[in-house]
Amino acid sequence: MLRFTAIAAALLLALPAAARPLETAEAKTLDQALSAYLAAIEKGDATRIVGAIPPRILALFAAQSGMDVQKLEQTLAEQTRGLMAQSVFSDLSTDTAGADANDETLGDGTAVTWTVVPARFVVETGGKKTRNEQAMLALREGTSWYFIRIEGAAQSQMVSLAYPFLADASFPAATTAPAE
C-alpha cells in the first residue's frame, strides 16, 4: 500500500497544475499592466515596451548574445524605437474576460502565475495597414506582470527555455490580414 501511495503521489506531482480563474486582485493588476503596456505601444515608448519583457527572457537573450542584460535592454530599446518610428499602431486591445491562471514554481523556487491573453491591433507601415491577432503570454513574478507575444515556434521555444513548464504549451496561431 505504501508503494502504491508513493507512486500515486509521484504521478500527481508530475501532472501540470490545474488552471483556475484569475482572482479579482490578479485580474485588476493584470488589466492595469496591460493598459500601461498598450499605452506604451501607442506612444512608441520603447523603454517601457522592453521593460515589459520577462526578466528571464532578457537574461536568456543576453546570455545567447554575449551581452549583459543592461546593454541588451538598451540595444532592444534602440531597435524598438527604430521600428516604432516606421509604424503607427492603433486599435490595440486585449481580452482578459474568462482568462484562466496557471500557477507554477521554477526550479529556483520562484512562483510564477501565467495566462494567455488574446491581443489585437492594427499596424500601418509604409502606407499599408494590417490587422494582427496573436497570443500574448502574461507572466507574473512577484508583484509584476510581464508580457511576450507568441508569434511562432522560435518564440515558443525561447519561452520554454526560460519557463520549462511551458515546454508543452500550445499557443493560438498568430494571424495577419490587410486592414482598411
Side-chain angles (χ1 to χ4, degrees):
M1 181 71 170
L2 181 57
R3 184 171 188 196
F4 175 77
T5 305
I7 292 170
L11 287 174
L12 285 174
L13 290 174
L15 295 174
R20 61 172 176 76
L22 283 168
E23 296 172 4
T24 303
E26 285 175 317
K28 183 178 179 180
T29 60
L30 175 57
D31 284 338
Q32 289 170 341
L34 281 167
S35 292
Y37 180 64
L38 296 180
I41 292 171
E42 280 188 319
K43 293 176 187 172
D45 186 342
T47 301
R48 291 191 76 193
I49 293 168
V50 171
I53 299 171
R56 289 175 192 275
I57 299 289
L58 288 171
L60 198 56
F61 280 146
Q64 289 180 343
S65 66
M67 291 184 193
D68 67 33
V69 173
Q70 185 177 12
K71 178 65 177 165
L72 176 66
E73 287 176 313
Q74 291 170 350
T75 301
L76 288 175
E78 288 170 16
Q79 291 173 347
T80 301
R81 229 175 261 108
L83 291 171
M84 299 299 283
Q86 301 171 25
S87 304
V88 176
F89 287 80
S90 60
D91 299 330
L92 288 96
S93 66
T94 55
D95 184 7
T96 59
D100 285 332
N102 298 276
D103 298 305
E104 303 288 346
T105 303
L106 294 168
D108 65 3
T110 301
V112 178
T113 299
W114 66 277
T115 189
V116 176
V117 178
R120 293 176 265 328
F121 58 93
V122 172
V123 63
E124 182 177 352
T125 305
K128 294 182 182 179
K129 288 185 179 184
T130 57
R131 180 168 307 285
N132 299 270
E133 294 186 16
Q134 48 193 221
M136 187 164 43
L137 179 62
L139 297 147
R140 187 186 70 201
E141 290 189 47
T143 59
S144 298
W145 284 99
Y146 301 98
F147 308 107
I148 187 161
R149 293 183 323 218
I150 306 297
E151 297 172 325
Q155 282 157 324
S156 290
Q157 183 179 18
M158 180 66 73
V159 165
S160 69
L161 289 172
Y163 299 95
F165 53 82
L166 292 170
D168 294 326
S170 61
F171 300 98
T175 62
T176 302
E180 297 181 22

